[in-house]
Amino acid sequence: MANEFPQVMTIGGTDSDGSAGVQADLHSFFMRGVYGATVLTAAVAGNSYGIQDSMVMPLPFIDAQFKSLAADLKIRAAKTGMLADRALVQDIIKNWQQYDFGALVVDPVIITKHGAMLLEQDAYDAVKNDLIPLATVVTPNHYEAEHLTGMKLDTDANIEAAAHQLQDSGAKNVVLKGAHDNPEQKEVRDFVLLESGKTFWLSEPYHNTDRVNGTGDTLSAVITAEIGKGNTIEDAIRIAKRFTNQAIGHPIAVGHQYGPINHWANQIVYPQN
């Protein structure tokens, strides 16, 4: 029967060196046993040294991609990544509300793990006020959660309060990713608030490495893949945390500087380089 195989979708930009963006999402989808489709929103010319150029896809072309996928595939879950500007965010929302693509995982790519803002204010406002309220799962990093809530996340109590604030804004399930920029830390702790009200912490060892490109993409992509396979939200989040930590903990030698994580680590352990 057509479309029996689990299918999921990523909505985001390409990263030409394959370390992040839709490439990292597709690596993750493949490794978790789902078929991955894409709506391409932007293209980035970049490598392990940084980004050299980029361009945003025309909105009519983005609309055409949504229409094509809706006419043929059975997408069971989807995720968003980096969205360049307000017009693009609003166009994604318009298309999302027009078609049935299952659960929506929002990776609000607005601030780097070092605290640098990635979006202009109007695009940030659209992500915060219009996109995140549609999320089945939202996965902000430490600095994004601080910015989105206006809170300093320096205590467990504040982190838990911030998660409830994001849920109150409309997101059904919240994963607040812990900070991982201190070489002295021993673990990375994420806080999870489910739609049911259940809460828990997830902890994995901290790995002191600069091979971390695509970490956030991978976590949200694995959650998307597991939802698409029919797993519960809680199981999807737990699997994604373990998968991503393994990928960070077994680096591969690709690029000269800030390289990608290793999506194959959960099946094949490569020697560290």
Side-chain angles (χ1 to χ4, degrees), residues 130-189:
D130 303 324
L131 182 62
I132 289 177
L134 300 176
T136 306
V137 185
V138 64
T139 63
N141 67 32
H142 177 84
Y143 297 104
E144 288 164 343
E146 286 191 331
H147 203 80
L148 288 165
T149 62
M151 299 177 62
K152 186 69 174 174
L153 304 186
D154 52 359
T155 67
D156 287 359
N158 283 357
I159 291 170
E160 295 182 20
H164 282 280
Q165 182 176 322
L166 287 173
Q167 191 177 70
D168 289 343
S169 75
K172 294 182 176 65
N173 303 276
V174 181
V175 181
L176 292 192
K177 295 179 288 188
H180 52 93
D181 52 7
N182 179 2
E184 301 301 318
Q185 68 187 97
K186 302 299 182 184
E187 61 179 350
V188 179
R189 299 170 69 236

Side-chain angles (χ1 to χ4, degrees), residues 60-78:
F61 178 66
I62 294 172
D63 295 342
Q65 293 177 82
F66 273 103
K67 184 177 181 180
S68 293
L69 294 177
D72 188 28
L73 303 187
K74 177 57 179 177
I75 305 296
R76 303 181 186 182

